[in-house]
């Protein structure tokens, strides 16, 4: 195995090792909260959905790339490539749009009670399931090109003039124009929510700045409530900042890939692009665990209760 392949495999392995347990922990924490409280707050439901999308990103793309790089398992025939790229693109774009929905909802959450923005927040919370379904339908439809154009790397005898090399697969387009149109659609799908979530984050930052200038909170609610909203707002700003940086690099590399007329013999650019986009899916659960008290407390309780339960079980067996 060449050193380049080892480095590639280790990078994907690191994303898998961090991302899969991290997103799983967030999902388990919210499911425990749902079981115990019989409901989830709208913001928590959005974060839960975001963690599920991120788990698909690292579980499907990074894990399979790791196994194939180290020659443990290789599913990358035509069907495997089509399925993997389709699921990856869909879950990746869902992760982007859900981050926007989360930032927009948090922006609405700091609106003055009784205002028009507060009414919109109530409306968003009421139709959250419809929003989720709409995002799924739109993003699966926009990712359908992966099924039509993806091929296994064993088809290297086929004309690959307008293709994108992603190591174990090729995404082959019939013409340069179709490649650029498809690429422009993918960029637009990323840039639109990026701009809107950046705007929402700026609004949140202005609110936090004004709040910090006051001796007491701007809201008439209790200090605990205001503190909870500020923590949630800071967490959302952290997630959006992480997203803008990593996906900004990803989209820059993607645009460069679209400008290259010949199919690149190396998958280095595609690997870097996938690494940076998957890095958000791997690191975001760490931000959520560190900043979300509900997730943090549930996980801490589970860690503390498990040794006690094991000790009780051992004592029972001794008796």
């Amino acid at each position: 195995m060449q050193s380049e392949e080892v480095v590639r495999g280790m990078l994907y392995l690191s994303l898998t090792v961090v991302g899969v347990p991290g997103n799983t922990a967030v999902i388990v924490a919210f499911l425990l909260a749902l079981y115990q409280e019989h409901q989830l707050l709208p913001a928590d439901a959005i974060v839960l959905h975001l963690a599920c999308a991120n788990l698909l990103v690292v579980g499907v793309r990074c894990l399979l790339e790791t196994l194939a790089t180290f020659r443990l398992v290789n599913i990358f025939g035509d069907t495997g490539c089509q399925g993997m790229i389709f699921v990856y693109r869909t879950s990746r774009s869902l992760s982007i749009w859900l981050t926007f929905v989360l930032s927009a909802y948090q922006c609405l959450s700091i609106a003055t009670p009784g205002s028009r923005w507060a009414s919109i927040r109530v409306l968003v919370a009421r139709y959250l399931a419809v929003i989720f379904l709409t995002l799924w339908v739109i993003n699966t439809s926009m990712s359908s090109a992966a099924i039509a154009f993806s091929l296994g790397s064993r088809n290297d005898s086929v004309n690959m003039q307008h293709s994108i090399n992603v190591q174990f697969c090729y995404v082959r387009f019939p013409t340069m124009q179709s490649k650029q149109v498809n690429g422009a659609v993918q960029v637009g799908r990323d840039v639109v929510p990026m701009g809107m979530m950046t705007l929402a984050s700026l609004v949140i930052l202005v609110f936090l700045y004004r709040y910090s200038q006051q001796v007491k909170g701007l809201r008439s609610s209790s200090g605990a409530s205001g503190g909870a909203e500020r923590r949630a707002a800071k967490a959302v700003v952290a997630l959006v900042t992480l997203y803008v940086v990593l996906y900004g690099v990803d989209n820059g590399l993607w645009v460069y890939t679209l400008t290259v007329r010949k199919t690149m013999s190396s998958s280095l650019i595609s690997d870097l692009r996938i690494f940076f986009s998957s890095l958000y899916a791997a690191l975001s659960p760490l931000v959520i665990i560190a900043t979300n008290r509900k997730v943090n407390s549930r996980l801490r309780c589970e860690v503390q209760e498990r040794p006690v339960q094991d000790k009780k079980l051992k004592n029972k067996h001794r008796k």
Side-chain angles (χ1 to χ4, degrees), residues 18-137:
V18 174
V20 172
N23 285 292
T24 302
V26 172
I27 294 170
V28 169
F30 279 121
L31 291 180
L32 285 172
L34 179 61
Y35 175 76
Q36 294 168 359
E37 301 173 7
H38 306 291
Q39 65 175 358
L40 282 178
L41 296 174
D44 293 338
I46 297 171
V47 176
L48 172 60
H49 211 99
L50 175 63
C52 291
N54 288 336
L55 182 61
L56 280 175
V57 171
V58 292
V60 171
R61 190 67 192 244
C62 299
L63 178 59
L64 292 179
E65 291 277 1
T66 301
L67 295 175
T69 300
F70 290 116
R71 298 183 176 88
L72 299 175
V73 176
N74 190 347
I75 66 161
F76 294 113
D78 289 351
T79 304
C81 285
Q82 291 165 359
M84 185 269 292
I85 294 177
F86 173 75
V87 173
Y88 169 73
R89 285 188 176 180
T90 302
S91 55
R92 173 189 175 280
S93 57
L94 274 172
S95 177
I96 296 169
W97 279 95
L98 287 168
T99 304
F100 158 66
V101 172
L102 180 63
S103 61
Y105 184 81
Q106 192 58 49
C107 185
L108 294 172
S109 296
I110 62 178
T112 306
S115 65
R116 181 177 61 180
W117 296 112
S119 302
I120 295 175
R121 181 190 64 190
V122 174
L123 200 63
V124 170
R126 183 181 303 169
Y127 294 103
L128 198 57
V130 177
I131 293 173
F132 288 157
L133 179 61
T134 302
L135 290 178
W136 271 99
V137 171

Side-chain angles (χ1 to χ4, degrees), residues 97 100 103-104 190-202 240:
W97 279 95
F100 158 66
S103 61
D190 291 357
V191 170
V192 170
M194 182 187 295
M196 292 189 294
M197 73 174 70
T198 301
L199 179 61
S201 296
L202 289 175
V240 171

Side-chain angles (χ1 to χ4, degrees), residues 25-26 28-29 289 294-304:
V26 172
V28 169
I289 293 171
K294 183 173 289 187
V295 173
N296 199 295
S297 61
R298 290 296 186 286
L299 294 177
R300 191 174 300 172
C301 287
E302 284 298 306
V303 171
Q304 291 174 351

